[in-house]
């Protein structure tokens, strides 16, 4: 096997100052966590790049498949190694460039000679390898500035290292480097995408879901569990808090006028979420709301809903339209699960004509005739907590099997 290691480039982490190494350590631990099934990974960190040692081809393929999902990685490259003599270096260069035969490319050779005792200087090595590779491939042409392929050669003290492929990473910040928040996970299209975007900014998530049996089915809950599990593939565990919400929702239906019942429902959800957030030590609440998408997401509605808490409410989708959200859901792999036809508590008891501009004082007036605080405390106390990702042996071969 020619592959010796994988070189990881940090991207945005490179702009950090004195606490840069804290971000790098977090990224290293997230990589270890994501690939725990591979056993102990040998990872070497530097200020501007990271190296993962490769033991075999199977490990290599697992890493190449999984690393693009890990936030904090701008790009990475498989690195091959050979002896420090020109014949070995030329042969390795040909082997690497064999993977780029299918269409025309521009290329150049870039050399770094860390081992200054090597008899040839960098420019001489560059000419030797470039002059040997170019005649072997009819699809290659030389371009010095911004070529399609840059064959990078580094002559170190122990061996010569070589790479050409640059695989894009997920970018962003390592999950866990920017605090913890509580994601309101409904089971629809929007909230998993909101969770993904916050994880990309380094936020570690726990999730909360409101479950109203018998009005919502076990299938709807299973769908949310699948979505929570899907989000863990981006590099962190997620705890899902399932709130028994039937009692509260029925009281709202009975005591609050139907045209503002959705506003009150959202306010009670936010009150519950805020208590859970405080218990778990999260700093903010994350929602999938997009301004004006539905009646409960107008600016007036959001203002009335927000009034129940001083906790920061993070809405990463606030300016996105539905098609943009759907496209991102498809990219991250949550869309097909989200569109499974099982109702959640947000879709039951939906009024025919909900208020799009509810008055806060009127909403508070209607709520004042019922004791919601006791029900909220009971719902928080009686919640069930699930931890994801599931162990591999616990997962179904078909992740939708329980949904059909």
């Amino acid at each position: 096997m020619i592959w010796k290691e994988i070189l990881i480039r940090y991207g945005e982490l490179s702009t950090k100052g004195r606490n840069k190494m804290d971000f790098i350590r977090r990224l290293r631990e997230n990589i270890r966590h994501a690939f725990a099934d591979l056993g102990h990974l040998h990872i070497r960190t530097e200020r501007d790049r990271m190296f993962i040692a490769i033991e075999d081809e199977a490990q290599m393929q697992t890493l190449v498949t999984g690393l693009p999902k890990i936030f904090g990685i701008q790009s990475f490259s498989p690195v091959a190694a050979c002896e420090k003599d020109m014949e070995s270096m030329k042969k390795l260069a040909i082997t690497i460039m064999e993977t780029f035969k299918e269409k025309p490319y521009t290329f150049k050779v870039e050399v770094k000679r860390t081992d200054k005792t090597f008899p040839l200087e960098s420019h001489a090595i560059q000419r030797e390898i470039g002059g040997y590779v170019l005649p072997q491939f009819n699809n290659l042409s030389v371009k010095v500035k911004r070529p399609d392929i840059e064959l990078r050669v580094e002559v170190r003290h122990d061996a010569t290292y070589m790479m050409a492929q640059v695989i894009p990473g997920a970018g962003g910040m390592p999950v866990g480097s920017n605090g913890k928040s509580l994601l309101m996970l409904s089971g629809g299209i929007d909230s998993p995408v909101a969770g993904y975007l916050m994880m990309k900014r380094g936020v570690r998530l726990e999730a909360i879901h409101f479950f109203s049996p018998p009005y919502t089915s076990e299938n709807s809950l299973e769908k949310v569990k699948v979505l929570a599990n899907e989000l863990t593939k981006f590099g962190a565990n997620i705890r899902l808090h399932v709130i028994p919400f039937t009692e509260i929702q029925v009281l709202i239906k009975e005591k609050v006028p139907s045209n503002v019942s959705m506003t009150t429902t959202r306010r009670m959800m936010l009150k519950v979420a805020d208590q859970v957030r405080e218990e778990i030590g999260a700093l903010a609440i994350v929602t999938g709301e997009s301004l004006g998408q539905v009646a409960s997401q107008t600016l007036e509605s959001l203002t009335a809903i927000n009034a129940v808490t001083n906790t920061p409410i993070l809405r990463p989708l606030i300016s996105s339209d539905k098609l943009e959200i759907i496209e991102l859901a498809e990219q991250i792999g949550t869309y097909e699960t989200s569109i499974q036809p099982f109702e959640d508590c947000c879709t039951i008891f939906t009024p025919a004509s909900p208020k799009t501009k509810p008055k806060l004082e009127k909403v508070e007036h209607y709520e004042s005739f019922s004791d919601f605080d006791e029900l909220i405390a009971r719902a928080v106390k009686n919640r069930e907590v699930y931890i994801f990702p599931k162990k591999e042996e616990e997962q179904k071969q078909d992740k939708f099997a329980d949904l059909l």
Side-chain angles (χ1 to χ4, degrees), residues 26 29-31 33-35 69-71 174-177 199 202-206 228-239 387-390:
R26 171 57 62 185
E29 293 310 307
N30 288 353
I31 291 172
H33 177 268
F35 299 101
K69 302 182 180 75
I70 306 298
F71 292 123
V175 174
S177 64
M199 293 175 77
V203 176
R204 183 175 297 280
L205 293 179
E206 295 197 25
N229 200 60
E230 283 291 306
L231 287 175
T232 64
K233 68 187 179 185
F234 300 107
N237 289 337
I238 288 180
R239 288 202 304 170
I387 300 176
F388 299 96
K390 292 181 179 179

Side-chain angles (χ1 to χ4, degrees), residues 41 46-47 79 188 202 269 274 304 306 323:
L41 292 177
E46 298 179 1
R47 286 195 62 82
V79 181
M269 286 180 172
D274 208 23
N306 272 25
L323 291 179

Side-chain angles (χ1 to χ4, degrees), residues 40 128 148 179 189 199 210 291 321 332 342-343 358 361 371:
H40 181 73
E128 286 274 340
D148 299 323
I189 296 170
M199 293 175 77
F210 297 87
L291 189 62
D321 63 41
I332 68 175
F342 305 116
E343 288 190 324
E361 60 273 15
D371 185 7

